[in-house]
Amino acid sequence: MMLSGRTSGKPTVGSRSTSSRSAPLQRPAPFVPVKHVSRVAPVRAQNEDDEPSTFGKNIDSKGAGTSFTSPGWLTQLNMLWGGKSNVPVANAQPDDIKELLGGALFKALYKWMVESGPIYLLPTGPVSSFLVISDPAAAKHVLRSTDNSQRNIYDKGLVAEVSQFLFGQGFAITGGEEWKARRRAVGPSLHKGYLEAMLDRVFGASSLFAADKLRTAAAEGTPVNMEALFSQLTLDIIGKSVFNYDFNSLTSNSPVIQAVYTALKETEQRATDLLPLWKIPGIGWFIPRQRKALEAVELIRKTTNDLIKQCKEMVDEEEMRAASAAAAAGTEYLNDADPSVLRFLIAAREEVDSTQLRDDLLSMLVAGHETTGSALTWTLYLLVNNPDKMAKAQAEVDAVLGARLTPTMADYGQLRYVMRCVNESMRLYPHPPVLLRRALVEDELPGGFKVPVGQDVMISVYNIHHSPAVWDDPEAFIPERFGPLDGPVPNEQNTDFRYIPFSGGPRKCVGDQFALMEAVVALTVLLRQYDFTMVPNQKIGMTTGATIHTTDGLYMYVKERRAAAGGGSGVAGGKQLAAA
Ligand code: HEM
């Protein structure tokens, strides 16, 4: 069945479609190997004791430690206060809250949505509570009123407070004029020409490298933790795309992966700590959980600083003049030898101080790594568990690529079913599953619910995406549900905020097109060469660390496919299959 959400029927056409992005084929750019600059200490020096990667190493899903949780009687007290407003109060028991704070929080939120409706108050401690929203209209209202110069009702509130230790002044968490200026400066670095360059030089090439790494496991029949592989692949991709730096994490265990996870888990734990010890200045280094998180941030910052230093030494006055002239003329600027975001920002923004630059780049590194890795993990999981959809996706890959191993830009526009599989996977597994906001002034949601000043708001993207009031057959994996393949790629606009994996409004993800292209290319390259089957008797549990992670990894057997004959769009380019 093709479905469509019940509230507004099929998504309306109106925004960019995959087909509109199938730009005329460019001659494939030669792959530019990403190298260290030898004049400064190579960043990898800090990873000297790296061991060869095994694809089997799991992320420590507890992060730095666990949260303090509220005893039941304190929470009950808050429920009494909360009950005075016109918002229903969730009947949250202490055990439920523990699950909410320590594990897969979105599952508990779903249960309360079923019991209390799409808007309810969730007390989490004696004075703290979240107004939980699981309704597209209310989510649209809140997201569009965040950092909106005409109607500024919400800010990032708690999320900014708890992740400041990681993002510093980065534009992912600042607000107001400061955020606006940074977003205006960074956004243009992800222009169309940049994405085209990344598709061939980075997304395709890195995915091909990952595919090659699977060959031994395929020959020997050993299981592969695909979640770990995707985390390594997406770190390598974001490193090259943002910094022109090769983390090489597909070859050696990069401590940065665990550091990013530990830091993100810490932000989640801070959001729900009953005793926010992290607010006491200087105490961090004396508390084991805090110390672990601070060490993780130190590693991420050092890595970023070293990369900025290397790049600054490469950019000269002439390049800065060219970049400024392009910016003034409103044209795209790309350094062909180093098209990275870092190079763009250094060439175009010499006025920005280095801490700001570090934090902006770090925002992109953190926001762009684990999110795409998790999207790929769950898309593959869903495909493997839905063999008919997998067959359809592989048939499309074979038909579009023909003898090519990596897609060209023109191919990308034709990989529409693969794109829908990624879209549908992000409906079922949104990363992050909740978005946080705080009311700056008193507000009223559609439906008449009052929001007091200072109220923390949690938009449950997971609930909206799983609600039977919003989607037909919500738990099923149906890539076809978004309408004809030549229609638009679903987004918040053409689904009226029923589908918001990249958020919406002014603070919408700046890297959405980058992420979709990266995921489609990576998946295409792997499905082109391999068949995947689940290792039997695995329980695939969910936990969160900003994105939805498996609890114990996603182990699969891989088997080389026979080279598919024929097909292809007939255009030259991409990496060719040696003997098709
Ligand atoms: C599948 C992959 C991705 C998903 C699901 C995703 C999701 C999101 C979401 C939901 C937000 C908004 C959070 C909010 O409203 O509070 C966001 C913001 C952001 N994302 Fe992504 N993202 C992805 C990939 C990327 C990539 C690849 C980059 C960088 C190249 C990136 C950079 C950012 C940045 C910098 C922000 C903050 C924007 C701002 O506040 O102005 N993301 N992302």
Side-chain angles (χ1 to χ4, degrees), residues 143 156 159 171-173 179 183 190 238 242 363-364 367-369 371-372 375 426 431-432 435-437 500-504 506-512 514-515 518:
L143 292 174
K156 285 218 165 184
V159 86
F171 80 110
I173 58 161
W179 161 78
R183 172 115 185 182
L190 303 172
I238 201 80
V242 172
S363 298
M364 298 186 83
H369 163 221
T371 42
T372 322
M426 287 200 288
H431 316 285
L435 301 172
L436 298 184
R437 296 291 188 265
I500 48 171
F502 292 109
S503 185
R507 302 303 293 256
K508 183 184 171 174
C509 177
V510 76
D512 60 338
F514 178 114
E518 175 186 0

Side-chain angles (χ1 to χ4, degrees), residues 190-270:
L190 303 172
H191 54 71
K192 189 165 173 283
Y194 167 81
L195 290 180
E196 284 185 17
M198 291 303 114
L199 179 132
D200 186 54
R201 299 191 208 182
V202 180
F203 303 163
S206 296
S207 304
L208 204 54
F209 188 64
D212 285 343
K213 287 273 170 188
L214 289 176
R215 221 164 298 288
T216 312
E220 293 173 357
T222 44
V224 177
N225 180 358
M226 291 305 296
E227 183 174 53
L229 177 91
F230 284 135
S231 185
Q232 291 157 345
L233 170 61
T234 51
L235 181 65
D236 282 355
I237 287 180
I238 201 80
K240 287 177 193 168
S241 310
V242 172
F243 299 111
N244 194 29
Y245 174 73
D246 193 351
F247 281 103
N248 206 13
S249 62
L250 278 161
T251 308
S252 56
N253 281 329
S254 169
V256 176
I257 292 186
Q258 179 66 51
V260 168
Y261 187 88
T262 301
L264 285 175
K265 191 77 185 172
E266 174 65 16
T267 63
E268 185 189 323
Q269 284 158 342
R270 286 183 178 204

Side-chain angles (χ1 to χ4, degrees), residues 225-227 230 373-390 421-422 424-425 428-429 431 466 475 477 523 526-527 532-535 537-542 548-551 553-556:
N225 180 358
M226 291 305 296
E227 183 174 53
F230 284 135
S374 297
L376 279 163
T377 299
W378 291 107
T379 308
L380 186 64
Y381 169 76
L382 288 162
L383 282 169
V384 169
N385 284 287
N386 291 274
D388 56 325
K389 316 291 183 203
M390 174 64 102
C421 293
V422 173
E424 174 69 339
S425 139
L428 286 164
Y429 300 92
H431 316 285
H466 283 252
E475 297 306 323
F477 176 63
L523 211 57
L526 293 182
L527 299 189
F532 297 85
T533 45
M534 296 287 293
V535 169
N537 305 321
Q538 278 180 91
K539 189 171 175 292
I540 306 298
M542 294 186 284
I548 303 178
H549 263 264
T550 71
T551 42
L554 177 68
Y555 286 88
M556 290 192 179

Side-chain angles (χ1 to χ4, degrees), residues 3 38 91 102 105 163 176 192 224 234 242 248 265 275 316 322 343 421 430 434 479 491 502 510 516 547 563 574 577:
L3 150 78
S38 52
N91 182 23
L105 84 168
S163 54
K192 189 165 173 283
V224 177
T234 51
V242 172
N248 206 13
K265 191 77 185 172
L275 296 174
D316 57 23
R343 187 71 172 238
C421 293
V434 296
N491 61 31
F502 292 109
V510 76
L516 288 174
T547 67
L577 194 63

Side-chain angles (χ1 to χ4, degrees), residues 10 12 14 51 73-74 126 146 148 163 165 188 199 222 226 228 271 295-296 321 381 412 441 453 492 505 509 520 525:
K10 279 186 184 168
T12 50
E51 289 164 14
W73 62 270
L74 280 178
T146 306
N148 179 329
S163 54
F165 78 102
L199 179 132
T222 44
M226 291 305 296
E295 281 166 1
R321 265 197 300 279
Y381 169 76
Y412 175 61
V441 291
V453 187
E492 80 287 2
C509 177
V520 167
V525 169

